[in-house]
Amino acid sequence: MRIGLYPGTFDPLTLGHVDIIRRASSLVDKLIIGVAINNAKSPMFSLEERVQMIDEEIIPIAIERGIKIITHPFENLLIDCAKDVDASVIVRGLRAVSDFEYEFQMVGMNRVLSSGIETVFLMADNSYQSIASKLVKEIARLGGKTEEFVPESVQKRLLSFSQQKPD
Ligand code: ADP
């Protein structure tokens, strides 16, 4: 059984992430979405909220693809998380040039830490390529519309966030 780990902060989940989850689910028998606790990054959404938003979106994809997709919060090294969940493949999404250098370094260093785990890079559909959680949060904070960038359930949460905290 091929197990894939797709790690990220998912603060919040975007349509770009969902597209990568769909693509990854046709490559593995079980997909684990590793949700980085990442308190140092001061996420807008709590770990519980981020996990809940992902859980809502992965149920229909898992049914449609006939595979198991689960969320798995983690706080340790990515490579140790991959070992904990028995993943043989780490999935990362690749956007424009900006993602490349960091990802390139990470693969190189992870290879030193563990040679048995491969990283695969997937590109989202063109229409989702430019979406970034960071920008979605900025748009929401300033009262802009986010429905083109995030699933409906995430959009509702962003909306209440911007109404409660308009700054
Ligand atoms: P991280 O904290 O690891 O950057 P993110 O939640 O921002 O976590 O992203 C998780 C993964 O999803 C990363 O591999 C990132 O490159 C990828 N990703 C994010 N947005 C997109 C997108 N619009 N298209 C393709 N991949 C994406």
Side-chain angles (χ1 to χ4, degrees):
M1 175 150 108
R2 190 179 293 278
I3 301 175
L5 171 65
Y6 176 37
T9 313
F10 305 104
D11 183 41
L13 181 77
T14 69
L15 293 177
H17 294 131
V18 175
D19 189 85
I20 298 295
I21 293 171
R22 284 185 173 282
R23 287 170 198 278
S25 62
S26 58
L27 301 176
V28 294
D29 306 302
K30 181 176 174 185
L31 183 65
I32 292 158
I33 318 292
V35 187
I37 296 178
N38 240 341
N39 285 330
K41 269 196 180 177
S42 308
M44 176 188 242
F45 291 99
S46 69
L47 173 69
E48 290 70 26
E49 288 173 308
R50 286 180 280 141
V51 165
Q52 209 179 349
M53 288 185 274
I54 300 168
D55 280 340
E56 283 168 22
E57 294 306 311
I58 58 182
I59 293 168
I61 303 175
I63 294 170
E64 185 190 310
R65 297 293 157 105
I67 70 158
K68 211 165 182 190
I69 311 180
I70 58 165
T71 41
H72 177 88
F74 74 103
E75 202 167 18
N76 52 348
L77 267 181
L78 173 58
I79 210 76
D80 289 334
C81 171
K83 285 178 192 162
D84 289 346
V85 298
D86 278 332
S88 55
V89 179
I90 293 172
V91 175
R92 295 285 290 172
L94 203 56
R95 283 163 295 187
V97 199
S98 53
D99 280 337
F100 184 78
E101 189 160 357
Y102 173 71
E103 297 291 342
F104 180 81
Q105 285 182 318
M106 200 158 82
V107 171
M109 295 187 73
N110 280 340
R111 270 198 189 144
V112 175
L113 297 173
S114 175
S115 57
I117 299 173
E118 289 298 338
T119 303
V120 298
F121 293 98
L122 300 175
M123 281 169 66
D125 185 84
N126 274 347
S127 49
Y128 304 133
Q129 279 282 329
S130 55
I131 304 175
S133 297
K134 195 177 158 207
L135 297 178
V136 164
K137 284 183 279 192
E138 276 178 32
I139 294 168
R141 277 200 187 101
L142 297 169
K145 288 186 176 165
T146 55
E147 71 238 42
E148 307 273 355
F149 311 124
V150 296
E152 207 181 321
S153 64
V154 176
Q155 193 221 335
K156 282 190 188 136
R157 284 171 198 255
L158 280 169
L159 212 58
S160 61
F161 196 97
S162 69
Q163 280 163 0
Q164 281 163 21
K165 297 172 191 170
D167 56 331

